[in-house]
Amino acid sequence: MTIRRISADELTIGLTLPWDVYGEGGGLLVKKGHLIASAHLIEMLVERGFIGDDGVAAVHAQPPSALRMLNLAHAGLRAALAQLALGQADCLPKLDEVAKLVEDAMDLDQDVALACILLNQAGGDYAIRHGVDSASVALLMARALKRTPAQARSLVLAALTMNVGMLRDHQRFHDTGAALPAADLAYIRAHPQAGVALLRAVGVADEPWLACVLQHHENEDGSGYPLATVAAGIGIDAHILMLADRYCARVSARAYRKAMLPNAALRDILLQGKETVDAQLASVLLHQLGIYPTGAFVKLLDGEIGVVTRQGASATTPHVLSLLNAWGTRLDVPLRRDTKTERHAIREVLSAQQAGLTFRLEQLWGCGASL
């Protein structure tokens, strides 16, 4: 069987893909049955996609990867937000494609998707990556709270678009190490309303989506912005997005500060108390991510250093793969540790610099984290 590129005349907007489509390296790009919702998707598949000459995948093709899906989501979101900022309605099917990629990544391997928040920060510019990261956490919470699929999709779309109102300067704000002037601060405080206006201009009429974008910086006590809305006026999904946004922002490095350790970021959010966040929803966030979130670097009581690869029986006892022994020597093979045992209990969380580890995500999570 030979492998060939897809041609544009084989793809029709409104129909579904009749085969799995693979990238040049054999990794799955888009699954069979995916709706062809836009000309942009056709262009992407023609540029990057391969199938077998009989319409089936090559036998050597790699299994699907959550990491690859999220990296594709980064690329798709960049294009969609640029169009949205220009008022081009063609962005809407692209945003749906990105939302579906986030959902598919979480369905395929939730641990990999959540680990990417901490371990894939080089996967794209902060202004784009932050939306995808926040969408993953928001979806995690939405599912835990039994939100309907439609409610969860609106929330994911809100996370992806929440900062489009300051897209022009978002990366600059992230990269600057100086205090922002008053004009920039006013621009930031107005970005939720600006984002809603842009979304309405391209035809978004989904009120839950729009409400989340508008309210994702409001606080329980009315000290937030842009409208100083108090607790009773803030929707549950806006609360979820607010928490996802704050967590993902805290664990990302900025020019003006280091990334917070993930456990410290969660503690910081909880300590804000009922004045600014919904305490019950903050507890849901902690329960779902765990005190030691997936992807965190940790030192165990016996001195080994490793990475949290999935949650365990409780929020304090995740599963860890040790990569360094107690003397700081690289282990030939990562060793799986259950932190319920006294010897392998977690002593502390480390920064990436403190851990001093280099590895490919695939080494810890397998093919679901392959590039």
Side-chain angles (χ1 to χ4, degrees):
M1 179 177 65
T2 59
I3 306 302
R4 63 174 178 84
R5 285 189 177 276
I6 301 173
S7 61
D9 59 9
E10 295 178 285
L11 305 171
T12 303
I13 294 175
L15 299 182
T16 58
L17 283 172
W19 1 257
D20 289 332
V21 180
Y22 292 79
E24 188 171 6
L28 182 67
L29 279 180
V30 185
K31 293 189 290 188
K32 178 180 177 179
H34 186 95
L35 179 67
I36 304 170
S38 70
H40 169 72
L41 179 60
I42 292 177
E43 291 170 5
M44 183 193 73
L45 293 175
V46 169
E47 178 183 353
R48 305 182 188 179
F50 292 82
I51 58 171
D53 57 3
D54 58 355
V56 297
V59 294
H60 66 278
Q62 300 173 13
S65 160
L67 173 60
R68 196 181 306 117
M69 290 175 183
L70 292 174
N71 284 343
L72 194 59
H74 295 155
L77 184 58
R78 178 186 298 281
L81 290 181
Q83 284 189 309
L84 175 55
L86 293 173
Q88 298 174 3
D90 287 350
C91 68
L92 296 181
K94 294 181 184 179
L95 287 169
D96 269 328
E97 290 165 11
V98 175
K100 184 65 164 56
L101 282 168
V102 173
E103 292 167 353
D104 286 349
M106 289 284 284
D107 289 340
L108 176 67
D109 199 322
Q110 178 176 290
D111 293 320
V112 172
L114 296 176
C116 284
I117 297 169
L118 301 176
L119 301 178
N120 193 37
Q121 296 197 5
D125 291 341
Y126 174 79
I128 303 301
R129 177 174 49 78
H130 179 66
V132 175
D133 290 347
S134 299
S136 298
V137 175
L139 181 59
L140 177 75
M141 292 187 65
R143 289 174 171 177
L145 292 164
K146 309 300 183 185
R147 307 300 284 165
T148 68
Q151 290 168 329
R153 173 59 68 90
S154 294
L155 183 52
V156 167
L157 287 165
L160 297 173
T161 57
M162 62 183 169
N163 291 322
V164 68
M166 61 176 185
L167 180 66
R168 183 190 68 206
D169 294 298
H170 196 178
Q171 192 64 40
R172 175 173 67 84
F173 297 152
H174 175 266
D175 294 339
T176 186
L180 296 176
D184 280 345
L185 294 175
Y187 171 72
I188 290 172
R189 293 181 69 85
H191 85 267
Q193 291 165 310
V196 169
L198 285 167
L199 289 165
R200 289 195 186 280
V202 298
V204 174
D206 181 345
E207 290 301 326
W209 176 357
L210 297 171
C212 284
V213 172
L214 181 64
Q215 296 184 335
H216 74 279
H217 282 295
E218 299 290 1
N219 290 329
E220 289 280 288
D221 61 358
S223 62
Y225 62 85
L227 300 177
T229 305
V230 296
I234 304 172
I236 182 173
D237 292 326
H239 276 296
I240 293 171
L241 181 53
M242 174 203 313
L243 290 165
D245 177 32
R246 292 182 185 186
Y247 171 74
C248 293
R250 280 164 169 76
V251 298
S252 293
R254 311 289 186 91
Y256 54 87
R257 64 159 173 79
K258 295 180 180 179
M260 292 182 70
L261 296 176
N263 61 324
L266 289 168
R267 182 172 62 248
D268 186 59
I269 290 171
L270 288 170
L271 290 177
Q272 290 179 336
K274 63 181 181 181
E275 291 77 15
T276 59
V277 301
D278 183 299
Q280 288 186 321
L281 288 178
S283 295
V284 172
L285 175 68
L286 178 64
H287 180 75
Q288 291 302 308
L289 290 177
I291 291 175
Y292 307 108
T294 304
F297 296 103
V298 292
K299 176 177 279 190
L300 308 182
L301 283 180
D302 65 359
E304 293 180 352
I305 292 177
V307 179
V308 175
T309 54
R310 62 186 175 92
Q311 293 305 300
S314 74
T316 60
T317 58
H319 291 265
V320 169
L321 277 179
S322 288
L323 300 177
L324 300 179
N325 64 23
W327 298 274
T329 302
R330 185 81 181 218
L331 296 167
D332 292 334
V333 177
L335 297 177
R336 191 170 302 280
R337 302 305 193 194
D338 186 343
T339 56
K340 292 196 306 291
T341 64
E342 183 177 353
R343 177 184 175 188
H344 296 131
I346 292 175
R347 176 187 295 173
E348 61 181 318
V349 179
L350 305 176
S351 68
Q353 293 74 23
Q354 291 171 321
L357 292 170
T358 58
F359 55 89
R360 301 188 315 278
L361 270 63
E362 186 177 8
Q363 293 174 279
L364 305 188
W365 285 276
C367 58
S370 61
L371 286 170

